[in-house]
Amino acid sequence: MIAGTADERHRYWMRKALLQAEIALEKGEVPVGAVLIKDDQLISKGFNLREQLNDPTAHAEIMALSAASDRIGDWRLTGCTLYVSLEPCPMCAGALVNARIDTVVYGLADPAMGACDSLYHLCEDPRLNHRVKVISGILAPEIRQLMDLFFMRIRQENRA
């Protein structure tokens, strides 16, 4: 068990998600990373691979959910918490609900696509058959720096 307060544990695991986001950045992907935790143990991890796989569903969250389901041997991921650097989009938020994730912890809000708080509240929608607890803002400044670096590189490449 990771010692410390809930906030310290959230920061610990979000740092692991941030490492995954850095791998995505190195591969030229939008730097989003995720880790899935159960009983304070790392079950799976993922990072964006849309460009590498030419797959619109290859988001960090989907990669981590798929790997976790393979490892656990069940699509139901009850008792799990997903840490992801960027607020999940509608597709990913829907997948979290469908996978029966207990909690999603994200770092940086996404005003353009966020479906946990920014644009929609899919994870906690009472009309759905499962609700996912949402915790936000963990390591947001560090994640913002990584996203800013990515978009700065894109702008520089477009000028060349």
Side-chain angles (χ1 to χ4, degrees):
M1 175 103 149
I2 307 295
T5 65
D7 186 58
E8 289 168 337
R9 286 192 303 278
H10 290 323
R11 293 172 65 80
Y12 173 85
W13 290 117
M14 188 61 74
R15 282 187 188 91
K16 302 294 185 190
L18 188 52
L19 289 173
Q20 295 301 302
E22 290 170 353
I23 294 170
L25 179 69
E26 291 170 11
K27 294 182 174 293
E29 300 276 353
V30 176
V32 180
V35 295
L36 191 105
I37 309 305
K38 184 171 185 170
D39 299 327
D40 224 16
Q41 298 292 315
L42 178 67
I43 302 300
S44 66
K45 52 192 174 182
F47 52 86
N48 274 5
L49 280 169
R50 288 190 311 174
E51 301 299 328
Q52 298 285 312
L53 299 178
N54 199 28
D55 180 352
T57 68
H59 289 202
E61 300 95 322
I62 302 300
M63 305 308 286
L65 290 174
S66 181
S69 292
D70 285 347
R71 180 169 179 189
I72 291 172
D74 195 348
W75 62 266
R76 292 171 195 86
L77 299 174
T78 55
C80 293
T81 298
L82 183 81
Y83 288 83
V84 60
S85 56
L86 187 67
E87 180 181 2
C89 72
M91 174 185 69
C92 293
L96 297 175
V97 171
N98 280 309
R100 310 300 194 263
I101 296 292
D102 285 4
T103 305
V104 61
V105 181
Y106 72 85
L108 187 63
D110 185 355
M113 290 291 289
C116 294
D117 289 320
S118 296
L119 295 176
Y120 306 103
H121 298 275
L122 287 178
C123 288
E124 296 175 323
D125 191 320
R127 297 169 293 181
L128 300 176
N129 66 344
H130 178 75
R131 275 161 286 304
V132 179
K133 180 180 176 185
V134 176
I135 299 170
S136 63
I138 306 298
L139 300 184
E142 293 92 328
I143 296 163
R144 165 60 61 203
Q145 287 179 335
L146 192 64
M147 295 297 280
D148 288 347
L149 175 62
F150 172 77
F151 288 110
M152 181 185 71
R153 287 181 182 176
I154 295 293
R155 286 190 298 275
Q156 288 173 345
E157 288 173 10
N158 288 339
R159 284 188 208 138

